[in-house]
Amino acid sequence: MLQKTACFLVIGNEILSGRTQDANTRVLAQALNAQGIRLMEVRVIPDIKDWIVRTVRECSAAFDVVFTSGGIGPTHDDITAECVATAMGAPLVRHEESFRLLEAALGADRFNVARQRMAYLPEGSTPILNTVSVAPGFSIGNVHVMAGVPSIFASMVAWLVPQMEKGAPLVSASWHAAGLKEGDFASDLATLQENFPTIDLGSYPYHLPDGASGVALVAKGYDNAIVGQAAQAVHDLIMAHGREPLLGEPPHKQTA
């Protein structure tokens, strides 16, 4: 089965400045892994209209699905909705159902012009449910636009991703060994990767609070049988280098 590919656009000057740390990539990646959609690329881009429009168009053409986070609130720099509308060739229009839901949730006295902006979506788009603060994200074509606030983003992902066409989920298997050094087995691991071209083989050094250190080796892919074969080969590689392979991740690991 051919895996669908995805790209994630993290939109916001606050991410690029270091003021805010992205907490959404992991949430989306895990949801897509479970759904059998492969996240191939993550880009962090600024709140600049031309930049957003150009990037959305480019990624919409290059990937099966595109997700964005950030820039759909009520302030002047929340320009994602209008940029995506431009990129997809659709006018930005008031979405009546979203308008009514927001007005009911906020109250007519608080539902000012700034907040009303959140009810304007590209024409022909479908709202993405927001169970936290009502203000919707939206889907248009293969682009899915979501909030940047982590709790809201997570709620939108939980509602949206399971509705997408499901592929084979990502599966993984790992072994770790104390005292193992990457430099000792790097060439052998490269050979294994050549033998299993459809599997991602990763090497992750760790350090434990008691001072012990070693390496975890992980096999990931979308074919459970081949992942199992690769994991057995990883086990044998560790044995060949004189270390005891232990199944799974090291306890309380701190990655180097």
Side-chain angles (χ1 to χ4, degrees):
M1 178 184 296
L2 186 63
Q3 300 300 133
K4 287 189 177 294
T5 60
C7 177
F8 182 31
L9 305 180
V10 181
I11 301 171
N13 294 336
E14 69 277 8
I15 302 292
L16 289 165
S17 71
R19 184 184 186 280
T20 301
Q21 183 176 359
D22 169 51
N24 295 329
T25 298
R26 186 169 184 262
V27 170
L28 179 62
Q30 290 181 335
L32 294 178
N33 289 344
Q35 197 67 13
I37 300 171
R38 186 169 188 179
L39 182 60
M40 298 294 291
E41 187 171 325
V42 177
R43 301 189 191 185
V44 184
I45 61 175
D47 295 306
I48 298 175
K49 183 174 182 178
D50 291 346
W51 205 311
I52 297 171
V53 171
R54 181 180 69 250
T55 306
V56 168
R57 284 175 175 164
E58 178 184 331
C59 294
S60 177
F63 299 93
D64 294 313
V65 285
V66 178
F67 301 87
T68 79
S69 71
I72 60 172
T75 59
H76 72 283
D77 58 346
D78 289 317
I79 59 174
T80 299
E82 63 183 270
C83 292
V84 171
T86 299
M88 304 302 285
L92 198 64
V93 298
R94 193 168 95 173
H95 188 265
E96 295 301 333
E97 182 183 0
S98 296
F99 190 93
R100 289 193 300 271
L101 288 172
L102 280 164
E103 185 176 32
L106 295 169
D109 56 330
R110 296 181 61 228
F111 194 42
N112 56 25
V113 172
R115 292 189 173 99
Q116 289 173 20
R117 291 182 64 222
M118 297 187 291
Y120 281 75
L121 310 179
E123 189 172 49
S125 62
T126 302
I128 295 173
L129 183 66
N130 175 357
T131 60
V132 177
S133 66
V134 182
F138 61 86
S139 300
I140 180 168
N142 66 339
V143 180
H144 307 281
V145 176
M146 295 178 285
V149 177
S151 60
I152 301 176
F153 180 87
S155 75
M156 289 181 171
V157 167
W159 181 83
L160 174 67
V161 172
Q163 299 182 52
M164 296 181 166
E165 182 180 351
K166 191 174 180 65
L170 182 71
V171 293
S172 66
S174 60
W175 294 91
H176 68 278
L180 197 61
K181 305 291 185 183
E182 284 189 308
D184 295 336
F185 62 81
S187 60
D188 293 336
L189 190 63
T191 300
L192 280 188
Q193 184 66 84
E194 292 174 0
N195 293 339
F196 294 95
T198 62
I199 298 298
D200 291 329
L201 294 175
S203 172
Y204 306 100
Y206 64 85
H207 298 275
L208 300 180
D210 64 2
S213 63
V215 177
L217 296 176
V218 182
K220 294 181 180 180
Y222 295 91
D223 186 310
N224 193 52
I226 297 178
V227 169
Q229 295 170 18
Q232 182 61 50
V234 164
H235 170 278
D236 295 345
L237 182 152
I238 295 173
M239 291 284 291
H241 285 273
R243 302 295 177 179
E244 179 185 1
L246 299 174
L247 185 62
E249 295 284 350
H252 310 296
K253 70 178 186 302
Q254 298 174 351
T255 53

